[in-house]
Amino acid sequence: MTSRMSKRACLSIVLAAGEGTRMRASRPKVLHAIAGRSLIEHVIEALRTIDGPIAVVVGPNQQPLRDAVQAIVPRATIFEQSERRGTAHAVLAARAAFADQRSDLLVAFADTPLITAATLRKLRDALTGDVVVAVLGFRAADPSGYGRLILEGGRLVAIREEKDATEIERKIDLCNAGLMALRGDVALQILDEIGDDNAKREFYLTDAVAVARGLKGDIAVVEAGEDDVRGVNTQMQLAEASDILQDRLRRAAMEAGVSMVAPQTVFLSADTKFGRDVVIEPHVVCGPGVVIGNGVTIRSFCHLEGARVDDDATVGPFARLRPGARIGADVRIGNFVEVKEAEVERGARINHLTYIGDARVGAGANVGAGTITCNFDGENKHRTDIGKDAFIGSNAALVAPVRIGDGAYVASGSVITEDVPDGALALGRARQMVKQGWVPRWLTARGKKPS
Ligand code: UD1
Ligand code: CA
């Protein structure tokens, strides 16, 4: 075996053709999400740091998965493994992408979402000197179900799948994480030589080790932490992976200066962004696409998704920011306020029980309790535009499309269907009637004594 002359390119292959039957769900396993991202997206994000193309192997009839992959990395090449005949067979489904033998292969599983870029790089970089195969191993607290790394004199000689292992081999706790790097000039030869002589009659990628040994190539083992390589096969394991990832995200946020009163009750997405001096009170959920500026406080029981909150704003308690909510600097969003697809400009106040959708709320405006932008007419959505320093009295219904001018006032309880000019007062409610002495007359008529 000759040693490598120069650093090759690296092709990453993500295996996702499994059926994921143990999830007992109609959605493909690797499209289940943790921290606001699908399992396969986590893996692909980690692979982005590896220089080189990405190939994804999917099964037949997996259009939703193909679409999802293409949305994540448009440049990924998708291959179909028409029959599910094992992990080596799956890698060979992408054969056309590495048949020229010019690039090394880095094989990752789409169901191993906690893998980090650093671990992937370590595995890829292990292909130096005469190493032709690098295996990612870990010490499992409970090794059952995993392939075991069989060492002889400190050298890896084989990987044994649980089903094929002896009693003694099953006691080994050094397990195969599933990920593997193969040197480009021999990868195809190794993969083609793998057979299906095992309990499941599948072509196991793990047999690359025994084959490489036959070719007198060196094999490297890179050890990872168990949490990095946890596979997700069941709903329970999905929840466990989610737990670990949430813990990582909270820690990263707190290390960057975010204050969390009860971190274990705060749920973040992989892409949640925080500025400086942010306080997150208990029980807050950040879905995908949340960007929080400096000095912001998110009070208890808020749900945010696709929302931006600018410097020194306060949100909640009990507020819901939906996609397209853009909360300006110094804004106050109070309890039971829902904002969707709306720009709330600097210093505006929306403190209680309000729905603002498809709207702009101008700087310094005050939106009273119970205000509703009536944005939907049963067929279409329409916009509401509230000018700067406008005052919307409590319990107003603003029937869109409608514009409230700068500095205009809307009286409480109004139903506003026509534009209100700058500085005007609009009243859109029934005039109050007062009937003097009505109560005693009514009581007397019913034979009761007025007090
Ligand atoms: C695999 C490893 C095992 C390792 C474990 C780590 C093999 C033979 N076994 O077992 O040593 O300890 O992962 O989690 O590699 N897939 C395909 N096509 C197939 C079969 C699988 O694309 O024909 C994909 C699956 O979608 C999945 C991955 O390969 O992403 C692993 O398959 P899975 O059946 O989950 O393997 P394990 O039994 O977990
Ligand atoms: Ca698995």
Side-chain angles (χ1 to χ4, degrees), residues 36-118:
R37 259 183 200 164
S38 66
L39 302 184
I40 192 167
E41 186 170 0
H42 284 288
V43 176
I44 289 174
E45 281 303 322
L47 280 169
R48 277 186 202 277
T49 55
I50 305 288
D51 225 11
I54 295 182
V56 179
V57 179
V58 303
N61 308 317
Q62 286 191 320
Q63 196 57 44
L65 180 54
R66 284 170 178 264
D67 294 345
V69 168
Q70 223 70 89
I72 301 162
V73 253
R75 64 183 174 85
T77 324
I78 298 179
F79 294 91
E80 183 170 305
Q81 184 195 18
S82 44
E83 246 188 308
R84 200 182 178 284
R85 303 228 34 215
T87 41
H89 186 259
V91 174
L92 281 168
R95 166 184 225 116
F98 58 88
D100 63 6
Q101 311 203 348
R102 273 200 239 132
S103 47
D104 292 337
L105 304 190
L106 182 60
V107 180
F109 291 173
D111 71 351
T112 308
L114 302 178
I115 191 74
T116 60

XYZ file of all heavy atoms in Angstrom, residues 36-118:
622
model
N -35.585 22.696 16.238
C -36.057 23.420 15.060
C -35.425 23.021 13.734
O -35.617 23.731 12.741
N -34.701 21.917 13.717
C -34.066 21.469 12.484
C -34.245 19.974 12.340
O -34.155 19.254 13.337
C -32.555 21.702 12.565
C -32.089 22.903 11.854
C -30.589 23.037 11.922
N -30.273 24.419 11.641
C -29.117 24.985 11.906
N -28.161 24.277 12.462
N -28.915 26.252 11.624
N -34.419 19.506 11.105
C -34.554 18.066 10.906
C -33.228 17.383 11.228
O -32.158 17.996 11.186
C -34.961 17.782 9.464
O -33.925 18.157 8.591
N -33.308 16.085 11.537
C -32.100 15.326 11.863
C -31.084 15.438 10.732
O -29.898 15.685 10.958
C -32.449 13.851 12.107
C -33.478 13.564 13.211
C -33.650 12.062 13.388
C -33.071 14.217 14.527
N -31.552 15.265 9.509
C -30.607 15.278 8.383
C -30.002 16.670 8.193
O -28.833 16.802 7.817
C -31.271 14.744 7.079
C -30.193 14.504 6.014
C -32.357 15.653 6.566
C -30.651 13.701 4.821
N -30.767 17.695 8.521
C -30.216 19.049 8.383
C -29.083 19.286 9.387
O -28.080 19.930 9.064
C -31.312 20.103 8.558
C -30.786 21.514 8.280
C -31.860 22.582 8.189
O -33.056 22.252 8.335
O -31.495 23.750 7.973
N -29.232 18.741 10.589
C -28.144 18.857 11.567
C -26.869 18.230 11.022
O -25.780 18.791 11.135
C -28.522 18.163 12.878
C -29.492 18.949 13.717
N -29.114 20.095 14.384
C -30.798 18.768 13.988
C -30.170 20.582 15.033
N -31.208 19.790 14.807
N -27.020 17.045 10.426
C -25.851 16.335 9.906
C -25.218 17.126 8.750
O -24.006 17.325 8.700
C -26.237 14.908 9.440
C -25.056 14.202 8.801
C -26.771 14.107 10.625
N -26.069 17.614 7.869
C -25.556 18.365 6.721
C -24.883 19.664 7.173
O -23.841 20.051 6.649
C -26.686 18.620 5.692
C -27.044 17.288 5.005
C -26.266 19.653 4.665
C -28.239 17.353 4.083
N -25.478 20.324 8.181
C -24.854 21.555 8.703
C -23.448 21.261 9.225
O -22.510 22.019 8.992
C -25.705 22.166 9.813
C -26.913 22.947 9.329
C -26.548 24.074 8.366
O -25.519 24.735 8.568
O -27.309 24.281 7.391
N -23.308 20.138 9.944
C -21.992 19.790 10.487
C -21.015 19.473 9.350
O -19.823 19.760 9.450
C -22.111 18.612 11.442
N -21.527 18.902 8.268
C -20.658 18.526 7.132
C -20.215 19.728 6.305
O -19.290 19.620 5.506
C -21.388 17.539 6.223
C -21.408 16.084 6.689
C -22.378 15.272 5.842
C -20.015 15.462 6.640
N -20.912 20.848 6.484
C -20.565 22.026 5.672
C -19.115 22.443 5.864
O -18.518 23.056 4.989
C -21.468 23.214 6.031
C -22.795 23.178 5.337
C -23.549 24.456 5.646
N -24.978 24.325 5.465
C -25.606 24.441 4.283
N -24.910 24.696 3.198
N -26.903 24.308 4.206
N -18.566 22.127 7.048
C -17.188 22.547 7.313
C -16.170 21.637 6.612
O -14.996 21.949 6.576
C -16.895 22.524 8.823
O -17.204 21.217 9.309
C -17.730 23.542 9.566
N -16.647 20.498 6.115
C -15.749 19.635 5.344
C -15.777 20.142 3.911
O -16.830 20.222 3.306
C -16.240 18.158 5.372
C -16.404 17.659 6.797
C -15.344 17.264 4.536
C -15.133 17.402 7.547
N -14.605 20.463 3.415
C -14.531 20.991 2.061
C -14.883 19.895 1.064
O -14.279 18.840 1.100
C -13.086 21.467 1.822
C -13.102 22.820 1.165
O -14.197 23.416 1.111
O -12.042 23.253 0.702
N -15.829 20.145 0.191
C -16.113 19.151 -0.832
C -17.591 18.921 -1.014
O -18.415 19.415 -0.243
N -17.934 18.159 -2.057
C -19.346 17.950 -2.393
C -20.065 17.036 -1.398
O -19.430 16.313 -0.634
C -19.288 17.289 -3.774
C -17.939 16.682 -3.871
C -17.020 17.483 -2.991
N -21.388 17.107 -1.427
C -22.212 16.269 -0.547
C -23.147 15.409 -1.394
O -23.802 15.916 -2.307
C -23.045 17.140 0.417
C -22.120 17.893 1.373
C -24.047 16.294 1.215
C -22.832 18.755 2.395
N -23.166 14.111 -1.094
C -24.115 13.206 -1.744
C -25.029 12.645 -0.660
O -24.590 12.388 0.455
C -23.369 12.078 -2.438
N -26.289 12.507 -0.998
C -27.238 11.952 -0.030
C -27.902 10.738 -0.657
O -28.337 10.791 -1.814
C -28.313 13.005 0.353
C -29.306 12.419 1.346
C -27.652 14.246 0.938
N -27.945 9.645 0.086
C -28.561 8.420 -0.429
C -29.934 8.262 0.219
O -30.049 8.204 1.447
C -27.684 7.187 -0.122
C -28.356 5.910 -0.634
C -26.301 7.349 -0.750
N -30.960 8.235 -0.629
C -32.324 8.084 -0.114
C -32.912 6.780 -0.659
O -32.390 6.187 -1.595
C -33.223 9.278 -0.515
C -32.618 10.584 -0.028
C -33.442 9.322 -2.021
N -34.014 6.365 -0.087
C -34.687 5.159 -0.546
C -35.681 5.496 -1.645
O -35.823 6.649 -2.035
N -36.363 4.472 -2.147
C -37.381 4.736 -3.166
C -38.587 5.445 -2.542
O -38.826 5.323 -1.338
C -37.762 3.339 -3.671
C -37.133 2.358 -2.750
C -36.225 3.061 -1.801
N -39.327 6.153 -3.328
C -40.531 6.858 -2.866
C -40.259 7.779 -1.692
O -40.997 7.781 -0.713
C -41.630 5.854 -2.469
C -41.901 4.864 -3.564
O -41.982 5.245 -4.730
N -42.003 3.589 -3.214
N -39.196 8.514 -1.750
C -38.909 9.441 -0.650
C -38.839 10.885 -1.157
O -37.912 11.626 -0.847
C -37.622 9.032 0.064
C -37.831 7.789 0.938
C -36.668 7.506 1.854
O -35.522 7.648 1.467
N -36.949 7.083 3.077
N -39.866 11.258 -1.918
C -39.882 12.605 -2.492
C -39.800 13.701 -1.428
O -39.030 14.658 -1.591
C -41.111 12.792 -3.394
C -41.021 13.992 -4.330
C -39.788 13.959 -5.237
O -39.454 12.910 -5.800
N -39.079 15.070 -5.369
N -40.551 13.592 -0.328
C -40.451 14.663 0.685
C -39.026 14.821 1.211
O -38.568 15.937 1.452
C -41.378 14.184 1.813
C -42.303 13.196 1.180
C -41.546 12.569 0.054
N -38.323 13.691 1.332
C -36.940 13.736 1.804
C -36.041 14.385 0.747
O -35.209 15.233 1.062
C -36.472 12.313 2.140
C -35.048 12.149 2.640
C -34.771 13.045 3.830
C -34.793 10.682 3.010
N -36.249 14.002 -0.509
C -35.477 14.627 -1.595
C -35.687 16.143 -1.589
O -34.735 16.915 -1.695
C -35.932 14.096 -2.965
C -35.448 12.707 -3.285
C -36.170 12.197 -4.537
N -35.673 10.873 -4.891
C -34.725 10.650 -5.789
N -34.186 11.652 -6.463
N -34.327 9.431 -6.036
N -36.937 16.560 -1.479
C -37.245 17.994 -1.494
C -36.557 18.695 -0.326
O -36.003 19.784 -0.484
C -38.755 18.224 -1.390
C -39.496 17.702 -2.620
O -38.826 17.442 -3.651
O -40.732 17.540 -2.557
N -36.612 18.043 0.844
C -36.007 18.658 2.035
C -34.499 18.809 1.841
O -33.929 19.859 2.146
C -36.311 17.821 3.268
N -33.864 17.769 1.321
C -32.408 17.822 1.108
C -32.070 18.936 0.122
O -31.159 19.739 0.356
C -31.882 16.463 0.590
C -30.444 16.594 0.099
C -31.983 15.410 1.681
N -32.816 19.001 -0.949
C -32.536 20.008 -1.972
C -32.724 21.422 -1.419
O -32.026 22.345 -1.812
C -33.452 19.757 -3.178
C -32.743 19.881 -4.511
C -31.737 18.759 -4.814
O -32.096 17.745 -5.377
N -30.474 18.947 -4.458
N -33.655 21.556 -0.479
C -33.871 22.872 0.141
C -32.710 23.237 1.075
O -32.353 24.402 1.202
C -35.194 22.883 0.912
N -32.131 22.233 1.710
C -31.030 22.501 2.644
C -29.733 22.808 1.879
O -29.058 23.784 2.144
C -30.789 21.305 3.598
C -32.043 20.977 4.407
C -29.646 21.614 4.569
C -32.007 19.569 5.037
N -29.388 21.911 0.958
C -28.193 22.147 0.108
C -28.544 21.896 -1.345
O -28.513 20.758 -1.820
C -27.000 21.193 0.422
C -25.876 21.866 1.121
C -27.432 19.918 1.073
N -28.847 22.956 -2.063
C -29.237 22.782 -3.471
C -28.160 22.053 -4.280
O -28.464 21.363 -5.240
C -29.413 24.218 -3.970
C -29.646 25.025 -2.732
C -28.919 24.342 -1.619
N -26.891 22.177 -3.848
C -25.826 21.557 -4.642
C -25.615 20.076 -4.317
O -24.793 19.411 -4.937
C -24.516 22.335 -4.469
C -23.995 22.290 -3.062
C -22.739 23.128 -2.867
N -22.377 23.165 -1.465
C -21.642 22.240 -0.849
N -21.167 21.225 -1.533
N -21.379 22.329 0.427
N -26.361 19.535 -3.360
C -26.191 18.111 -3.011
C -26.683 17.233 -4.152
O -27.671 17.542 -4.813
C -26.967 17.788 -1.746
N -25.970 16.131 -4.376
C -26.433 15.172 -5.371
C -27.188 14.081 -4.616
O -26.728 13.598 -3.597
C -25.246 14.507 -6.093
O -24.224 15.480 -6.232
C -25.658 13.994 -7.443
N -28.346 13.722 -5.141
C -29.154 12.721 -4.456
C -29.106 11.409 -5.232
O -29.272 11.395 -6.456
C -30.599 13.211 -4.310
C -30.603 14.477 -3.442
C -31.489 12.127 -3.692
C -31.943 15.098 -3.231
N -28.831 10.329 -4.524
C -28.806 9.001 -5.138
C -29.883 8.148 -4.498
O -30.204 8.316 -3.329
C -27.432 8.349 -4.933
C -26.330 9.070 -5.657
C -25.613 10.078 -5.020
C -26.036 8.760 -6.972
C -24.609 10.761 -5.696
C -25.026 9.433 -7.654
C -24.308 10.438 -7.013
N -30.396 7.207 -5.300
C -31.426 6.324 -4.761
C -30.882 4.916 -4.563
O -30.271 4.350 -5.470
C -32.624 6.297 -5.703
C -33.756 5.459 -5.154
C -35.042 5.619 -5.964
O -35.494 6.766 -6.136
O -35.567 4.599 -6.418
N -31.092 4.402 -3.378
C -30.774 3.002 -3.105
C -32.117 2.282 -3.245
O -32.987 2.390 -2.389
C -30.221 2.843 -1.690
C -29.790 1.427 -1.377
C -29.578 1.199 0.121
O -30.048 1.963 0.953
N -28.874 0.139 0.453
N -32.281 1.557 -4.344
C -33.636 1.062 -4.637
C -34.035 -0.090 -3.733
O -35.213 -0.313 -3.486
C -33.752 0.678 -6.105
O -32.614 -0.037 -6.491
N -33.047 -0.809 -3.235
C -33.328 -1.905 -2.310
C -32.481 -1.673 -1.081
O -31.298 -1.374 -1.198
C -32.857 -3.213 -2.953
C -33.938 -4.189 -3.285
C -33.279 -5.497 -3.714
O -32.404 -5.458 -4.602
O -33.615 -6.529 -3.133
N -33.038 -1.888 0.086
C -32.306 -1.592 1.311
C -31.479 -2.806 1.708
O -31.968 -3.691 2.393
C -33.333 -1.254 2.394
C -32.772 -0.495 3.536
C -33.825 -0.237 4.583
N -33.250 0.461 5.717
C -32.498 -0.111 6.628
N -32.212 -1.391 6.539
N -32.001 0.601 7.629
N -30.231 -2.835 1.245
C -29.425 -4.042 1.454
C -28.191 -3.775 2.307
O -27.188 -4.460 2.184
C -29.035 -4.648 0.103
C -30.269 -4.966 -0.745
C -30.286 -6.340 -1.347
N -29.672 -7.369 -0.544
C -28.987 -8.386 -1.051
N -28.821 -8.469 -2.355
N -28.476 -9.299 -0.263
N -28.262 -2.767 3.140
C -27.175 -2.533 4.081
C -26.404 -1.249 3.824
O -26.529 -0.623 2.774
N -25.589 -0.889 4.816
C -24.924 0.418 4.765
C -23.840 0.503 3.677
O -23.664 1.564 3.078
C -24.326 0.768 6.145
O -23.725 -0.387 6.733
C -25.403 1.263 7.095
N -23.142 -0.607 3.407
C -22.135 -0.567 2.331
C -22.830 -0.477 0.974
O -22.416 0.264 0.079
C -21.254 -1.814 2.376
N -23.908 -1.217 0.848
C -24.728 -1.184 -0.367
C -25.251 0.236 -0.602
O -25.281 0.726 -1.739
C -25.880 -2.180 -0.183
C -26.741 -2.370 -1.380
N -27.969 -1.762 -1.496
C -26.559 -3.085 -2.517
C -28.512 -2.118 -2.660
N -27.674 -2.914 -3.288
N -25.615 0.901 0.481
C -26.116 2.273 0.378
C -25.018 3.221 -0.112
O -25.252 4.074 -0.969
C -26.651 2.749 1.726
N -23.802 3.052 0.411
C -22.696 3.908 -0.035
C -22.458 3.691 -1.536
O -22.263 4.643 -2.300
C -21.405 3.619 0.758
C -20.236 4.400 0.183
C -21.596 3.959 2.238
N -22.558 2.431 -1.951
C -22.312 2.127 -3.364
C -23.411 2.671 -4.287
O -23.193 2.807 -5.489
C -22.142 0.617 -3.558
C -20.754 0.102 -3.155
C -20.736 -1.423 -3.094
C -19.666 0.615 -4.101
N -24.544 3.006 -3.721
C -25.589 3.635 -4.535
C -25.091 4.976 -5.071
O -25.547 5.462 -6.098
C -26.858 3.822 -3.703
N -24.136 5.570 -4.344
C -23.571 6.859 -4.776
C -22.295 6.662 -5.591
O -21.540 7.610 -5.803
C -23.292 7.731 -3.551
N -22.064 5.448 -6.037
C -20.834 5.076 -6.730
C -20.408 6.097 -7.800
O -19.228 6.453 -7.893
C -21.078 3.695 -7.350
C -20.102 3.252 -8.359
C -20.569 1.912 -8.941
N -19.434 1.013 -9.019
C -19.318 -0.103 -8.351
N -20.285 -0.512 -7.557
N -18.242 -0.826 -8.469
N -21.370 6.567 -8.586
C -21.037 7.481 -9.682
C -20.306 8.720 -9.165
O -19.515 9.330 -9.889
C -22.300 7.891 -10.422
N -20.545 9.086 -7.908
C -19.939 10.309 -7.371
C -18.475 10.112 -6.979
O -17.751 11.083 -6.789
C -20.736 10.796 -6.163
N -18.054 8.842 -6.831
C -16.645 8.647 -6.432
C -15.913 7.624 -7.293
O -14.808 7.201 -6.964
C -16.529 8.306 -4.934
C -17.285 7.075 -4.488
C -16.689 5.825 -4.537
C -18.588 7.170 -4.012
C -17.383 4.690 -4.123
C -19.284 6.045 -3.601
C -18.683 4.797 -3.652
N -16.530 7.241 -8.404
C -15.929 6.225 -9.272
C -14.579 6.665 -9.828
O -13.720 5.833 -10.132
C -16.887 5.875 -10.397
N -14.371 7.966 -9.929
C -13.086 8.450 -10.476
C -11.943 8.297 -9.468
O -10.788 8.546 -9.793
C -13.211 9.910 -10.947
C -13.537 10.853 -9.792
O -13.547 10.398 -8.619
O -13.780 12.038 -10.053
N -12.283 7.880 -8.249
C -11.307 7.596 -7.196
C -10.462 8.802 -6.812
O -9.389 8.663 -6.247
C -10.372 6.460 -7.621
C -11.136 5.268 -8.143
C -10.344 3.982 -8.057
O -9.161 3.983 -7.807
N -11.028 2.876 -8.231
N -10.950 9.985 -7.126
C -10.132 11.163 -6.850
C -10.352 11.737 -5.458
O -9.505 12.451 -4.947
C -10.370 12.232 -7.912
C -9.447 11.980 -9.085
C -9.267 13.209 -9.933
N -9.709 12.864 -11.276
C -10.524 13.599 -12.006
N -10.968 14.736 -11.561
N -10.863 13.201 -13.196
N -11.506 11.428 -4.873
C -11.729 12.029 -3.545
C -11.915 10.964 -2.474
O -12.392 9.865 -2.736
C -12.933 12.958 -3.581
O -14.003 12.335 -4.232
N -11.492 11.332 -1.258
C -11.738 10.472 -0.108
C -13.235 10.490 0.194
O -13.952 11.390 -0.231
C -10.976 11.008 1.115
C -9.473 10.873 0.925
O -9.049 10.024 0.118
O -8.731 11.632 1.580
N -13.681 9.501 0.945
C -15.098 9.435 1.306
C -15.272 9.623 2.802
O -14.535 9.042 3.595
C -15.696 8.065 0.949
C -15.602 7.575 -0.479
C -16.474 6.334 -0.645
C -16.065 8.668 -1.426
N -16.244 10.421 3.160
C -16.617 10.557 4.563
C -18.086 10.153 4.630
O -18.942 10.817 4.056
C -16.422 12.004 5.015
C -16.739 12.291 6.481
C -15.864 11.465 7.403
C -16.527 13.776 6.777
N -18.346 9.025 5.278
C -19.715 8.517 5.331
C -20.350 8.897 6.667
O -19.777 8.642 7.730
C -19.737 6.975 5.173
C -21.163 6.459 5.219
C -19.052 6.573 3.871
N -21.506 9.532 6.598
C -22.220 9.908 7.826
C -23.639 9.365 7.748
O -24.175 9.168 6.654
C -22.236 11.421 7.987
N -24.225 9.118 8.893
C -25.614 8.648 8.936
C -26.529 9.842 9.205
O -26.245 10.663 10.069
C -25.811 7.634 10.074
C -25.130 6.314 9.859
C -25.111 5.371 10.880
C -24.522 5.989 8.656
C -24.503 4.138 10.700
C -23.905 4.757 8.467
C -23.896 3.829 9.501
N -27.629 9.887 8.489
C -28.570 10.997 8.688
C -29.288 10.897 10.021
O -29.931 11.842 10.463
C -29.595 11.020 7.558
N -29.186 9.749 10.694
C -29.898 9.600 11.962
C -28.978 9.815 13.167
O -29.277 9.393 14.273
C -30.613 8.244 12.040
C -29.663 7.064 12.201
O -28.439 7.247 12.080
O -30.155 5.943 12.463
N -27.856 10.492 12.935
C -26.906 10.767 14.016
C -26.718 12.283 14.102
O -25.700 12.828 13.692
C -25.570 10.031 13.714
O -25.892 8.662 13.452
C -24.612 10.088 14.867
N -27.720 12.983 14.625
C -27.796 14.435 14.446
C -26.878 15.259 15.354
O -26.702 16.440 15.107
C -29.254 14.744 14.788
C -29.632 13.685 15.777
C -28.904 12.452 15.339
N -26.312 14.641 16.385
C -25.532 15.443 17.334
C -24.059 15.510 16.966
O -23.253 16.106 17.680
C -25.696 14.889 18.755
C -27.143 14.834 19.259
C -27.197 14.236 20.657
C -27.771 16.220 19.263
N -23.724 14.905 15.853
C -22.335 14.897 15.409
C -21.853 16.346 15.214
O -22.582 17.189 14.698
C -22.202 14.084 14.096
C -20.750 13.829 13.764
C -22.904 14.740 12.919
C -20.099 12.805 14.636
N -20.641 16.625 15.662
C -20.142 17.996 15.526
C -19.154 18.092 14.369
O -18.552 17.103 13.966
C -19.418 18.435 16.811
O -18.313 17.552 17.033
C -20.340 18.409 18.009
N -19.003 19.306 13.891
C -18.062 19.555 12.792
C -16.659 19.134 13.215
O -15.905 18.563 12.412
C -18.094 21.033 12.421
N -16.312 19.377 14.482
C -14.956 19.062 14.949
C -14.693 17.554 14.879
O -13.619 17.117 14.449
C -14.775 19.557 16.382
